[in-house]
Amino acid sequence: MTMAPHPLVVRTQELADRLLSPQAARVDLSEVPASHVAEIGRSGLLGVSAPPEYGGAGAPDSVAREIQEILAGACCSTWFVQTQHHTPVRMLAKSESPVRERLLRPLASGELLAGIAYAHVRAFPRVPVRARAERDGWRFDGTVPWYTGWGLNDVMLLAGVTDSDEIVFAFADAREQPGMRASEPMRLAALTAARTVSLELEGLWLPEESVVLRTPREKFALVDLPRSTNASPAVFGVAYAALRVLEDSGEAEVARELRGQVDEVRRQAYELAEHPVAHEHVEERLALKTRSYDLMRAATTAAVVAGGGRTMDVRHPAQRLAREGLFLLVQGQTSPVRGAHLDALTQTREPE
């Protein structure tokens, strides 16, 4: 028996068809409008994984993945802004800190939008942002190389590493303030619309009650491992969007063949994502992740080839999806992911 799709998935697809997909080309050449984020919030999508008692949907991870696929395939820039929101919500839901009661409900309801400023902790032993205890709170110094959603987010989840290699996660207002200065928005090969900046921190002070988590770096690295080694739903979303463009170009048979391969890798990757021990089967996770990259690249390249010279128009969906695919190859990249991907790219297949 076929299960009916979750109501939030239905709502996401309606939003994608009505708003996000039709405006994706325009957004790609400008910036994600606040109205897009507001629509996502009103649709309940920002609280998909949040506890129901705080106004969230409490939906399973499988539903959250499907929502992310649809959003990424419809407008990858909008997807990238809103996807930052879900890690702070999940962290708050597991926390017993005072900041949970202050922020979890407005974040789950979509009243507030959160961004993240912690990917730099994966660069250890290099420490781009240092955290030090000071005056019943914490002082943050250093550079956040990438921060997405500037001007759209209300709050950010910021992390710094202490001298004892503990990671301190705390919430800050996502605006310029004493101790925090933003760069001009970056011009990127793709997803410039997502409003990405770097942040200079010079004595940014946050009170102890803004802290959501303090954890040893090694423990965080173990918890963080599946985030970087599992295949991203956005990769599948962009691949499927490219296959639809390929079909529209009259190449239904090629699209059908590639779709079957994407479907199979997606099935395997999502089964492994549900494994009860998240940090096991790392090599298998990485193999599926790199295979998903291969198929996304094949799908976006096929869409460009089928469309011919007109795909070089920056407004053409095939060209945009190809650039978005390049972005996803390095988004959230860690050293193990980079190594596995480069190894896969240098392997030659034996002739059949």
Side-chain angles (χ1 to χ4, degrees), residues 14-248:
E14 184 277 330
L15 180 63
D17 294 341
R18 172 178 57 83
L19 177 67
L20 302 184
S21 291
Q23 296 193 24
R26 180 184 64 80
V27 168
D28 178 59
L29 297 176
S30 54
E31 61 183 17
V32 174
S35 57
H36 275 29
V37 176
E39 284 269 10
I40 289 172
R42 282 193 291 268
S43 296
L45 306 184
L46 296 179
V48 57
S49 302
E53 60 269 28
Y54 284 84
D61 288 346
S62 58
V63 171
R65 285 193 292 267
E66 193 166 357
I67 287 171
Q68 297 308 306
E69 269 188 28
I70 295 169
L71 293 176
C75 178
C76 203
S77 293
T78 300
W79 162 79
F80 193 48
V81 169
Q82 65 77 45
T83 199
Q84 318 289 317
H85 177 90
H86 300 285
T87 297
V89 169
R90 288 174 180 264
M91 191 175 287
L92 281 169
K94 296 176 181 178
S95 174
E96 296 181 356
S97 64
V99 72
R100 168 186 170 127
E101 297 307 312
R102 178 167 64 89
L103 287 180
L104 184 52
R105 184 173 294 279
L107 289 175
S109 68
E111 178 186 343
L112 297 179
L113 182 70
I116 56 174
Y118 77 79
H120 49 270
V121 301
R122 295 170 176 151
F124 192 88
R126 190 164 55 85
V127 180
V129 176
R130 181 67 72 183
R132 295 181 175 86
E134 183 180 285
R135 296 185 289 114
D136 297 323
W138 292 88
R139 173 188 170 119
F140 293 83
D141 293 280
T143 301
V144 176
W146 300 87
Y147 180 78
T148 294
W150 186 254
L152 292 171
N153 297 325
D154 301 290
V155 295
M156 69 171 68
L157 178 63
L158 172 65
V161 181
T162 70
D163 291 336
S164 59
D165 294 345
E166 182 181 51
I167 302 178
V168 179
F169 291 88
F171 280 93
D173 290 338
R175 57 174 175 77
E176 289 206 349
Q177 55 190 290
M180 182 166 71
R181 184 178 71 256
S183 71
E184 290 297 313
M186 298 180 187
R187 294 295 302 173
L188 306 174
L191 277 68
T192 288
R195 307 193 193 188
T196 298
V197 300
S198 63
L199 299 173
E200 292 298 326
L201 308 178
E202 298 179 1
L204 175 67
W205 183 84
L206 299 175
E208 182 65 40
E209 55 265 28
S210 71
V211 174
V212 65
L213 178 68
R214 290 172 57 184
T215 184
R217 188 205 62 81
E218 291 182 354
K219 182 177 180 181
F220 171 76
L222 192 63
V223 173
D224 188 53
L225 189 62
R227 294 194 191 108
S228 60
T229 57
N230 282 333
S232 167
V235 169
F236 297 116
V238 167
Y240 285 130
L243 293 178
R244 290 191 291 272
V245 174
L246 186 59
E247 286 178 335
D248 292 341

